[in-house]
Amino acid sequence: MKHILITRPKGKGAALAQQLEQAGYQASLYPVLKITYLTPTNVELSPLVNADKIIFVSQDAVYALNALKPAINTKAQFYGVGQQTADTIYEVFGVRAALPKQHDSEGLLALKSLADVDGSNIVLVKGIGGRPEIAKTLKQRGAYLNNCVVYQREPVEPSSASWIDHWQSQNVQGIVITSNAAVDAIFNTISVAQLAWLQQCEFYVASERIGTYLQQQKINSTHIYTAAGASDQAMFTCINQQGSKMSEQSATSKVEKAAQPTAKNTSNTTKSDSVKANNQTQSTPQKVSKVGSVALVISLLVASGVGYEFYQKLNASKVQNLAVNTLTEQNKMLQQELQALKSEQLSLQQALLNSEEKIAMALNENSVKNQQALKAALQKVQQSGNTLNPQEVTSLQRMAEFKLWAEQDYSGTSAVLKRLDSLLSDHPGTLELRQAITQDIQALDSIKPVATEAIYLQLNSVINRIDNLVFNAVNLPEEARIGDENALSEDVSDWQQNIRNSWNKIVDSFITIRHHEGVLIEPLLTDRERHLITQRIKLNITQAQDALMAKQASIYFNALNDTKRLVNEYFKQDDDATKVVIQTLANLEKESLNFNHEVTLQSTQQVKEWAQ
């Protein structure tokens, strides 16, 4: 039975081990790495809000980022290097991720949607030192790449020498490796003898990249088998296919070995027959008379008959004696075996009775010991009373840090620190720690949160007032009707007035003079232009609302400034509706949109020192 060792981190190799055992292999779980989640800064997490494409290199990257609960653009294109990563993205974010046919870095970079990424905002969510080829290639293609490092892989133990000795004692024949970090953990601190043993093992890797890295550790390529990905099914298929090939080769070799003796026997028989034929050919017949020949034949026949009868009787008696002796010996052996079985049965029964008695005694002893230990523990708890638990203190401090850096919940952070302060209040020796916690609480309570909802509603009220604003236009007086004033009279006595009217008509045919009061407004706006101006103002206010919710202060103030300029330029300043809008915009410009306060918890270091 072939022994396969699975080195994946804890909790990730159980399904593969079950598949291998069902297929007739011996499978062992031996994690060589542990996963530690990291807490990136706000600067590293902020590109997720405006990202065009988000690439996750592993399941751990998805889980680690989700634990931070960051603001993320779910409308971006998501990518997963492998099938399990894509399934985890859908499970956590509810988004279908793009998946390459070849589950590795080269397959991901071969996708058409990543071929033309010039000017695209791409976030690569990964672990420390993971997938450098992806970042390098995307930068060369012109993408704005941001690395979001959310976890790291570390060896379970600093030295792998004890692992190798244990594997060798367990007769391990195949090793499953799914990352370069696992290769480093195994080959980091080994002796020459341990390397020689590893060179005889078979390695099942998740990608060609890992296989190439293994060859750098002096492992022959003939001992490296590459799966179609890091999934359990891909690794199982790779191992099972290799096991089938080895079985076929061994069966073929057995058939060839079995055929070789037959061929040798055939050749020996052929040689003996040819020797006999040559001897017969070389013999020279002698000349005898016919009577002598007949007499000789008759005497031979009689002698052979008598000899044959005697031989038959002798053989029959020998066979009977031999059979009787054989049966007698067999009966003796059977009686001896029966006696041995009876004695073994008695000894087993006695051993069973003894073991049952020992088990009963051990159970009684364990029961008594457990009761005594339980009483001692209860007494210890009662004696200790309100003993402070360092783990609880550390957990509350970590929760406060998480709410501050990941959620930016200043009031929530203050509430957690107040709970920690109340926990420490009943215990002596925590004065300095409580003073640091009190300073942090005062700093957090002094931060005034941005009234996002109130500002959003004020902007919405401005949008509702835009249609009621009056454009800055002048109502010109009606032009005088010169035609009526210069009309000619039919009365002869009005001849002088008719001359003047005639002259005015002559002048008007060349020059037209119009008189009005007020200031001219240029250009005069049409209804379509007025509609476009109001829509532009509404669009600016909507943009300010979006920037407010996305916590982008610069975009918010630019949109308000443009809105205020348009209102001052195109609408009547003395109108009440215009005054209300301008005043509201001025108040909104005075808002302090400080979303990221620089707060450092002084109590963090104090808690670490106290816990140590």
Side-chain angles (χ1 to χ4, degrees), residues 10 19 102 114 126 172 205 218 242 260 282 355 364 379 381-382 431 471 489 507 519 606:
K10 186 176 181 181
Q19 281 183 295
Q102 181 180 337
L114 291 178
K126 62 170 192 171
V172 171
V205 298
K218 299 181 181 179
Q242 182 58 29
Q260 288 176 0
Q282 292 175 359
S355 63
N364 291 332
Q379 291 176 358
V381 171
Q382 292 174 358
L431 180 60
F471 278 89
S489 174
V507 171
V519 181
Q606 295 287 343

Side-chain angles (χ1 to χ4, degrees), residues 161-175:
S162 59
W163 307 347
I164 310 302
D165 293 338
H166 177 69
W167 298 349
Q168 191 172 1
S169 66
Q170 296 296 318
N171 194 23
V172 171
Q173 297 166 295
I175 302 175

Side-chain angles (χ1 to χ4, degrees), residues 74-95:
T74 55
K75 295 182 180 179
Q77 175 65 63
F78 284 63
Y79 293 85
V81 176
Q83 183 64 54
Q84 289 182 330
T85 305
D87 294 341
T88 306
I89 292 172
Y90 181 73
E91 175 187 347
V92 173
F93 298 106
V95 179

Side-chain angles (χ1 to χ4, degrees), residues 155-457:
V156 176
E157 296 179 5
S159 176
S160 62
S162 59
W163 307 347
I164 310 302
D165 293 338
H166 177 69
W167 298 349
Q168 191 172 1
S169 66
Q170 296 296 318
N171 194 23
V172 171
Q173 297 166 295
I175 302 175
V176 175
I177 298 180
T178 57
S179 66
N180 284 350
V183 177
D184 290 334
I186 294 172
F187 288 85
N188 189 19
T189 55
I190 60 175
S191 63
V192 177
Q194 290 172 337
L195 176 60
W197 178 80
L198 285 172
Q199 289 173 341
Q200 297 176 0
C201 295
E202 296 178 352
F203 291 87
Y204 305 97
V205 298
S207 66
E208 293 182 358
R209 176 175 57 88
I210 303 174
T212 303
Y213 195 63
L214 258 178
Q215 293 180 32
Q216 296 176 7
Q217 311 300 325
K218 299 181 181 179
I219 299 299
N220 198 313
S221 60
T222 58
H223 289 187
I224 300 173
Y225 305 99
T226 305
S231 65
D232 292 336
Q233 187 58 42
M235 297 304 302
F236 172 75
T237 302
C238 177
I239 297 170
N240 201 31
Q241 287 178 349
Q242 182 58 29
S244 300
K245 291 179 180 178
M246 294 296 291
S247 299
E248 292 176 0
Q249 291 175 0
S250 62
T252 303
S253 62
K254 288 181 180 179
V255 171
E256 291 177 350
K257 289 180 180 179
Q260 288 176 0
T262 304
K264 290 180 179 180
N265 293 334
T266 304
S267 61
N268 291 334
T269 304
T270 305
K271 289 180 180 179
S272 62
D273 292 341
S274 62
V275 169
K276 289 180 180 180
N278 291 333
N279 292 334
Q280 292 175 1
T281 304
Q282 292 175 359
S283 62
T284 304
Q286 297 178 355
K287 294 181 180 181
V288 296
S289 63
K290 294 181 179 180
V291 177
S293 298
V294 172
L296 180 60
V297 170
I298 293 171
S299 62
L300 288 174
L301 289 174
V302 173
S304 62
V306 174
Y308 178 74
E309 184 178 0
F310 176 78
Y311 179 74
Q312 285 287 90
K313 291 180 180 180
L314 181 61
N315 284 340
S317 62
K318 286 183 178 180
V319 169
Q320 290 177 356
N321 294 332
L322 182 61
V324 171
N325 293 333
T326 303
L327 290 174
T328 304
E329 291 178 359
Q330 289 179 352
N331 289 334
K332 290 180 180 179
M333 292 175 64
L334 289 174
Q335 289 177 358
Q336 292 175 359
E337 291 178 358
L338 182 60
Q339 188 67 26
L341 288 174
K342 287 181 179 180
S343 61
E344 288 180 2
Q345 183 179 6
L346 292 173
S347 62
L348 287 174
Q349 290 176 353
Q350 187 64 33
L352 182 60
L353 292 174
N354 295 335
S355 63
E356 288 178 353
E357 293 177 357
K358 290 181 180 179
I359 291 172
M361 293 176 62
L363 288 175
N364 291 332
E365 292 178 359
N366 289 335
S367 177
V368 173
K369 289 181 180 179
N370 289 335
Q371 290 178 358
Q372 293 175 354
L374 182 59
K375 289 181 181 179
L378 290 174
Q379 291 176 358
K380 187 176 180 180
V381 171
Q382 292 174 358
Q383 292 174 359
S384 61
N386 296 326
T387 304
L388 187 60
N389 186 1
Q391 187 174 2
E392 185 177 1
V393 175
T394 306
S395 298
L396 287 173
Q397 184 65 30
R398 289 177 179 175
M399 184 183 297
E401 292 178 357
F402 179 79
K403 284 188 170 292
L404 176 62
W405 298 112
E407 298 180 357
Q408 296 181 356
D409 183 4
Y410 304 110
S411 60
T413 306
S414 176
V416 174
L417 290 177
K418 290 176 182 177
R419 169 71 182 88
L420 179 58
D421 183 65
S422 65
L423 180 65
L424 298 171
S425 61
D426 298 332
H427 301 278
T430 59
L431 180 60
E432 294 183 1
L433 179 57
R434 292 189 62 199
Q435 289 178 350
I437 293 174
T438 303
Q439 293 177 359
D440 291 339
I441 293 173
Q442 292 175 353
L444 291 167
D445 291 341
S446 64
I447 298 174
K448 294 182 179 180
V450 179
T452 306
E453 295 181 359
I455 297 173
Y456 190 93
L457 293 175

Side-chain angles (χ1 to χ4, degrees), residues 17-35:
Q18 184 177 2
Q19 281 183 295
L20 290 172
E21 289 177 352
Q22 290 175 355
Y25 295 89
Q26 180 184 354
S28 298
L29 296 176
Y30 203 101
V32 300
L33 298 175
K34 59 182 179 180
I35 304 299

Side-chain angles (χ1 to χ4, degrees), residues 45-54 71-76 119-123 144 146 546 550-552 555:
L45 294 174
S46 58
L48 291 167
V49 178
N50 300 317
D52 300 319
K53 302 177 187 294
I54 303 175
I72 187 170
N73 181 19
T74 55
K75 295 182 180 179
S120 299
N121 292 320
I122 300 179
V123 178
Y144 297 109
N146 295 278
D546 294 339
K551 298 181 180 181
Q552 296 175 338
I555 299 176

